[in-house]
Amino acid sequence: MALRCTLDRYLLLMAQEHLEFRLPEIKSLLSLFGGQFISSQETYGKSPFWILSLPSEDIARNLMKRTVCAKSIFELWGHGRSPEELYNSLKNYPLEKMVPFLHSDSTYKIKIHTFNKTLTQEEKVKRIDALEFLPFEGKVNLKKPQHIFSILEDYGLDPNCIPENPYNIYFGRWIADGQRELIESYSVKKRHFIGNTSMDAGLSFIMANHGKVKENDIVFDPFVGTGGLLIASAHFGAYVYGTDIDYNTVHGLGKASRKNQKWRGPDENIRANLRQYGLEKYYLDVLVSDASKPSWRKGTYFDAIITDPPYGIRESTRRTGSQKEIPRGIEKCPESHVPVSLSYHLSDMFFDLLNFAAETLVLGGRLVYWLPVYTPEYTEEMVPWHPCLKLISNCEQKLSSHTSRRLITMEKVKKFENRDQYSHLLSDHFLPYQGHNSFREKYFSGVTKRIIKEEKSNQE
Ligand SMILES: C[S@@+](CC[C@H](N)C(=O)[O-])C[C@H]1O[C@@H](n2cnc3c(N)ncnc32)[C@H](O)[C@@H]1O
């Protein structure tokens, strides 16, 4: 017999940042905690107010322990397009669900949250007074209430066209806040060891969430750099491991990336970064290794691969190689056994990455990576494909007027077999992305020097 579970309605208050990344984050987290994204709304794309149906308050709490895209979650008691509609909806909310939070020996407070409009104190008080019909029996306590209720008013998204009355009004019991404070506490600005391409803290947490990273997982970053992505995964309790082709980066040597410092200090490395956040126990190791020549025995080792490969803008796309590998006749090359680096085409790099993920991820494990694209030429067909990996989400972050990077999330859905190794070469997706091998030239031709400068200083 199928089990039937009742779903309650919750209101998510989303942050108005990285809009495209929000839905995949919430969906990934809900599937991690045994929930499912169920919403009758169609406007959740840009709005900060999302109504969700969830099977339990525990799932709502778990979701908020992880999300950086949502600010808060409320048990939704009422919703309307006018105050009258809201009051009617509240009168229809089952009394037995309200009573545990309104009894006489409890304390409470009512807050007002408006989006795209500021209310005067007088207007706020009026709205609270209008809720007198609710059976509040407890005492008001503004400093440390047991229960917090909120009226949330939605005045739309257009700051140049703010309506007199809200489009939507919600009333709910506050349950929990999300993890927005991680963006500040893990900010790259305050981090011990950084590089020119250290990943922004907020995006690192979003990537770990898209990757459904959980406690005791093993997470790998083959282009680890300063380990920004490892930090986010370790924060969620995963053991982390990385490789990078650059000896200096892995060993924390060479020139510093901070303006007022010339050389990196003695303990500037990934391990020290994890230590800075109390996460050292999650450090497995980092090695100097070329992602184009993985040195792993056959096997499934990783629960997630979360990475930011080079695009050739502020770091080169190189792989190890010997001049012997350059066919004679094409270039005059003396015999040499000294490894040199060869250029690593973007398309090869991404197909190698997918192949590696298909081989080494556990079934159900996720690959999350950034794919740079030249927007005038971009089509969805360009996104690299692999028979063992299913595309879960594809979200854009603009880099300049003509370029963007897309956060691609894929899930391993099929065991890797030898014949899967080169199947991408037959795929329709292989050729279109090959055009992006000259992404660097396109990047610099599409933007003025001024824009490049602005972007660099924004990321510093
Ligand atoms: C965009 S950065 C990664 C930044 C990293 N997420 C961080 O937070 O610092 C890309 C890294 O890939 C490395 N890399 C380039 N080619 C590589 C290759 N063939 N194998 C492994 N690493 C490579 C570069 O040295 C660089 O550190």
Side-chain angles (χ1 to χ4, degrees), residues 307-320:
T307 195
D308 179 25
Y311 326 143
I313 305 296
R314 274 171 291 151
E315 76 292 72
S316 63
T317 51
R318 310 294 291 172
R319 62 193 171 100
T320 51

Side-chain angles (χ1 to χ4, degrees), residues 191 193-200 204 221-230 243-247 249 289-293 306-311 315-320 344 349 405:
R191 191 169 297 163
F193 170 50
I194 56 161
N196 292 340
T197 55
S198 292
M199 182 58 69
D200 161 88
S204 305
D221 181 352
F223 301 94
V224 73
T226 58
L229 300 174
L230 300 190
T243 57
D244 199 287
I245 200 171
D246 191 276
Y247 180 93
T249 307
S289 173
D290 175 359
S292 76
K293 296 185 174 62
I306 300 192
T307 195
D308 179 25
Y311 326 143
E315 76 292 72
S316 63
T317 51
R318 310 294 291 172
R319 62 193 171 100
T320 51
Y344 192 9
M349 186 166 63
R405 57 179 180 178

Side-chain angles (χ1 to χ4, degrees), residues 91-107:
K91 283 171 191 160
N92 285 325
Y93 191 70
L95 196 60
E96 67 275 15
K97 288 191 176 179
M98 291 187 186
V99 167
F101 307 98
L102 305 180
H103 57 81
S104 56
D105 47 2
S106 67
T107 58

